[in-house]
Amino acid sequence: MAEIIQKDGTWVFDGDALRLTPGRDKNVSPLRRELGELIVPLGALAGLSFEQGKKTGRLRLRLRDGADPLLQATGGRLTEPHDPYQLLVDSDRYGVAEYLVDEVRQALLLDEVPADPVDAYLLPGPSVPLSASAGDGTASFDGERVRLEWNWKTEESKSSAGARSLAIAEIEAVEWQPAIGLENGCLRFRLRHAPTKAPAKYDPNAVELWGFRKDPLMALVAAAVQARLPHPAAGPRDALPAQREPGSAAGDDHDALLRRLRELGELRRDGVLTDEEFAMAKQAVLKRM
């Protein structure tokens, strides 16, 4: 097992998966704290690199294209403070970081994990229910419906219709765009049979973002919805299971397995489970997922 502990977070690799836990330092972004611990199976990894600097270095984890709904929803637009797949490393821990990189690379070679894209999500996405407030509204998602509520800063033509409730079956795609310079960002839900070119300021299915600190939290809502949409790379036949009815046994089982993974991680940290017991139990859950 390879492990590196920093103020920015803790990364642990046990040969089967890489466990990423955000640190408790005040500089850790709200998105990473809200996202919590991530368990990335070996099959989802494309590589791990380490970049040295004079005072600090940086570990960068690369996932296979299409493996993670968060990366799919954000399109690589998460900046460094919010990216859960980067870790700041103090100079006195450079050797540990390099050892972690070697262990992951060796495991990828031994298991012959391909680096090509995948056509199904290998990570479950953020757990639900969740809610985020930023810009001109609040977006909430319970696994079945998205709810958009407006605040006093919302354009009147958009807020006059009241809160919006969108069933997952209505949603064709989700977009998250950060604010860049003078251009505002948005969290937008594109509906089937209802195309629109309206700016987010006037679109009742979009929250406009103005570049404030809580904007990245909207990316978690986007990722949770993305995880329950058909995978963009899947063929028509492969997409059918993802179009299950909300509240179905498959959807409930998926969320239950995700909760079980987090419970196992907590039991291991509390000393209830040994490393070996944790590895065996986690492997059983990952196979079911």
Side-chain angles (χ1 to χ4, degrees), residues 6-114:
Q6 294 289 273
K7 292 185 295 183
D8 196 36
T10 298
W11 287 15
V12 180
F13 180 62
D14 63 4
D16 295 318
L18 190 60
R19 180 158 52 91
L20 316 179
T21 305
R24 298 182 179 181
D25 187 76
K26 63 180 181 180
N27 294 322
V28 175
S29 79
L31 181 147
R32 290 178 57 205
R33 288 199 298 266
E34 184 69 23
L35 185 59
E37 183 177 86
L38 291 174
I39 298 178
V40 185
L42 183 64
L45 301 182
L48 178 64
S49 62
F50 178 58
E51 304 167 0
Q52 292 191 15
K54 291 183 178 180
K55 295 183 179 180
T56 59
R58 188 180 298 273
L59 279 165
R60 295 182 187 270
L61 182 64
R62 291 185 296 108
L63 271 62
R64 296 170 66 184
D65 289 344
D68 180 26
L70 175 62
L71 296 182
Q72 186 71 43
T74 57
R77 293 182 290 269
L78 280 176
T79 55
E80 288 183 357
H82 312 294
D83 187 345
Y85 301 115
Q86 298 188 35
L87 182 72
L88 290 177
V89 178
D90 293 333
S91 58
D92 62 346
R93 306 298 288 171
Y94 283 1
V96 179
E98 291 171 346
Y99 174 70
L100 178 66
V101 170
D102 290 340
E103 288 293 294
V104 171
R105 288 177 176 172
Q106 183 177 6
L108 290 172
L109 288 173
L110 289 175
D111 282 41
E112 298 181 344
V113 177

Side-chain angles (χ1 to χ4, degrees), residues 76-282:
R77 293 182 290 269
L78 280 176
T79 55
E80 288 183 357
H82 312 294
D83 187 345
Y85 301 115
Q86 298 188 35
L87 182 72
L88 290 177
V89 178
D90 293 333
S91 58
D92 62 346
R93 306 298 288 171
Y94 283 1
V96 179
E98 291 171 346
Y99 174 70
L100 178 66
V101 170
D102 290 340
E103 288 293 294
V104 171
R105 288 177 176 172
Q106 183 177 6
L108 290 172
L109 288 173
L110 289 175
D111 282 41
E112 298 181 344
V113 177
D116 54 335
V118 297
D119 58 5
Y121 293 123
L122 302 180
L123 278 81
S127 58
V128 293
L130 60 87
S131 180
S133 297
D136 66 354
T138 297
S140 306
F141 182 53
D142 62 4
E144 298 181 3
R145 304 189 73 88
V146 172
R147 181 173 176 81
L148 302 177
E149 299 175 273
W150 313 116
N151 57 38
W152 63 274
K153 295 170 283 188
T154 309
E155 176 69 26
E156 185 177 357
S157 62
K158 184 163 75 171
S159 63
S160 59
R164 296 279 288 164
S165 181
L166 310 174
I168 191 70
E170 298 178 71
I171 300 172
E172 183 176 45
V174 58
E175 302 173 4
W176 177 81
Q177 293 274 358
I180 301 176
L182 298 178
E183 183 177 350
N184 292 337
C186 71
L187 169 64
R188 188 194 305 271
F189 300 94
R190 297 198 177 275
L191 305 187
R192 304 180 190 279
H193 315 300
T196 179
K197 294 183 179 180
K201 182 176 182 178
Y202 304 104
D203 185 353
N205 300 315
V207 177
E208 188 180 36
L209 304 176
W210 301 321
F212 296 143
R213 190 168 183 264
K214 291 186 177 181
D215 282 12
L217 291 175
M218 287 291 187
L220 298 180
V221 179
V225 173
Q226 184 72 56
R228 288 159 176 82
L229 296 178
H231 193 283
R237 180 175 298 178
D238 295 331
L240 288 176
Q243 295 173 343
R244 57 184 179 263
E245 290 297 322
S248 67
D252 292 341
D253 188 53
H254 181 276
D255 290 337
L257 292 174
L258 174 60
R259 288 194 297 272
R260 182 58 180 158
L261 280 176
R262 289 182 171 153
E263 289 171 359
L264 290 173
E266 292 172 0
L267 290 172
R268 180 180 180 276
R269 287 196 301 274
D270 293 341
V272 178
L273 293 178
T274 65
D275 289 345
E276 292 77 12
E277 291 169 335
F278 169 76
M280 292 177 61
K282 182 195 68 180

